[in-house]
């Protein structure tokens, strides 16, 4: 039986490209102004397809912390201070319009009715993550919310998973980590959890499948899969 579900945020609760694709173009333009060569160089180091407003599957942005993303950008933005860049990114991302992978309020109402313990483990900042969940109307459904800066480390390390287990009193073997990237799945596996991949991020099935116990189209498919496997 699965007693706890720990979710990544971007690309898992929210469709990654639909949420961040257009926003990233605006963010890059704000950094470089009318310098098209600098824009193209910045898009390249970020693994961003500006023409289609989508991220390549291997993009550094997909599972990295904001600090790691800033480091990639600073390869191009050589006259920018890292703390200032991070501050601008965090301030802008807090207000992005998140595109839900499935209607989240009824989804998490349903999961709560099953008595599952629920958590968020993201490489976003905890403050930004909490704001996104609050705006989606689901923050209070979670027993645990952790970002890369919450004191448990970042994925693919298992610290956030271990903290979830410590807070809920659940054994890792009774929990599942749900995510759209290898960082999510590797973190869950390192902690001894079941791993569930979803295809609402840039990573394709072929990339996720070797690292997951199951790969599903979206989080909406998890309850049905759990019932079929007698895990709920």
């Amino acid at each position: 039986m699965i007693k706890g579900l720990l979710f990544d945020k971007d690309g898992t609760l929210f469709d990654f490209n639909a949420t961040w694709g257009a926003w990233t173009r605006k963010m890059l333009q704000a950094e470089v102004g009318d310098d098209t060569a600098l824009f193209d160089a910045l898009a390249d180091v970020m693994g961003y397809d500006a023409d289609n407003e989508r991220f390549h599957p291997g993009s550094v942005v997909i599972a990295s912390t904001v600090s790691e993303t800033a480091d990639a950008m600073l390869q191009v933005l050589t006259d920018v201070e890292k703390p200032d860049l991070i501050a601008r990114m965090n301030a802008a991302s807090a207000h992005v319009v998140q595109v839900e992978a499935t209607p989240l309020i009824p989804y998490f109402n349903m999961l709560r009715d099953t008595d599952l313990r629920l958590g968020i483990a993201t490489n976003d900042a905890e403050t930004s993550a909490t704001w996104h969940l609050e705006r989606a109307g689901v923050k209070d459904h979670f027993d645990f919310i952790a970002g890369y800066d919450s004191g448990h480390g970042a994925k693919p390390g298992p610290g956030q998973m271990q903290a979830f287990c410590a807070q809920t009193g659940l054994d890792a073997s009774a929990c599942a980590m749900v995510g759209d990237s290898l960082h999510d799945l590797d973190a869950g596996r390192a902690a001894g959890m079941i791993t569930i991949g979803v295809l609402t991020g840039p990573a394709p099935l072929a990339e996720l499948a070797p690292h997951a116990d199951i790969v599903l189209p979206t989080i909406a498919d998890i309850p049905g899969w759990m019932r079929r496997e007698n895990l709920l």
Side-chain angles (χ1 to χ4, degrees):
M1 297 287 287
I2 292 177
K3 299 180 180 179
L5 285 175
L6 189 57
F7 294 87
D8 172 53
K9 181 175 68 72
D10 295 320
T12 302
L13 302 190
F14 305 103
D15 184 287
F16 193 91
N17 279 313
T19 296
W20 296 104
W23 177 89
T24 297
R25 171 180 276 281
K26 294 176 182 177
M27 186 269 291
L28 299 188
Q29 288 174 331
E31 290 296 327
V32 305
D34 296 327
D35 190 330
T36 57
L38 196 58
F39 179 95
D40 290 343
L42 197 53
D44 185 60
V45 299
M46 295 179 69
Y48 177 64
D49 177 355
D51 291 336
N52 295 298
E53 298 185 339
R54 298 180 65 82
F55 289 89
H56 300 300
S59 168
V60 66
V61 175
I62 294 169
S64 298
T65 66
V66 66
S67 178
E68 292 166 336
T69 299
D71 286 337
M73 296 173 67
L74 290 171
Q75 296 175 44
V76 175
L77 302 175
T78 55
D79 58 346
V80 172
E81 295 295 328
K82 183 176 178 178
D84 296 336
L85 178 59
I86 289 175
R88 289 195 297 273
M89 292 167 67
N90 281 338
S93 67
H95 301 289
V96 70
V97 177
Q98 300 273 36
V99 179
E100 298 178 1
T102 191
L104 293 181
I105 291 176
Y107 179 75
F108 283 110
N109 284 341
M110 177 270 296
L111 288 183
R112 268 302 192 192
D113 288 342
T114 66
D115 293 326
L116 287 164
R117 305 299 294 273
L118 304 174
I120 293 291
T122 176
N123 277 354
D124 195 0
E126 182 180 336
T127 299
S128 295
T130 300
W131 169 238
H132 291 151
L133 296 169
E134 188 171 274
R135 191 165 58 185
V138 296
K139 180 179 73 71
D140 292 340
H141 290 71
F142 294 98
D143 303 287
F144 175 88
I145 299 172
Y148 81 94
D149 55 354
S150 298
H152 313 301
K155 298 173 291 186
Q160 294 177 347
M161 287 85 250
Q162 294 165 344
F164 173 73
C165 291
Q167 184 159 319
T168 60
L170 297 175
D171 190 87
S173 63
C175 300
M177 177 64 206
V178 184
D180 69 299
S181 77
L182 295 187
H183 274 21
D184 302 321
L185 303 178
D186 290 346
R189 184 157 291 181
M193 294 183 173
I194 294 167
T195 53
I196 302 173
V198 291
L199 299 175
T200 39
L205 173 63
E207 181 178 322
L208 298 180
H211 300 261
D213 292 293
I214 185 71
V215 179
L216 299 168
T218 77
I219 59 171
D221 300 286
I222 293 173
W225 171 75
M226 290 174 65
R227 293 187 183 98
R228 291 192 300 274
E229 298 296 320
N230 294 315
L231 295 171
L232 184 60

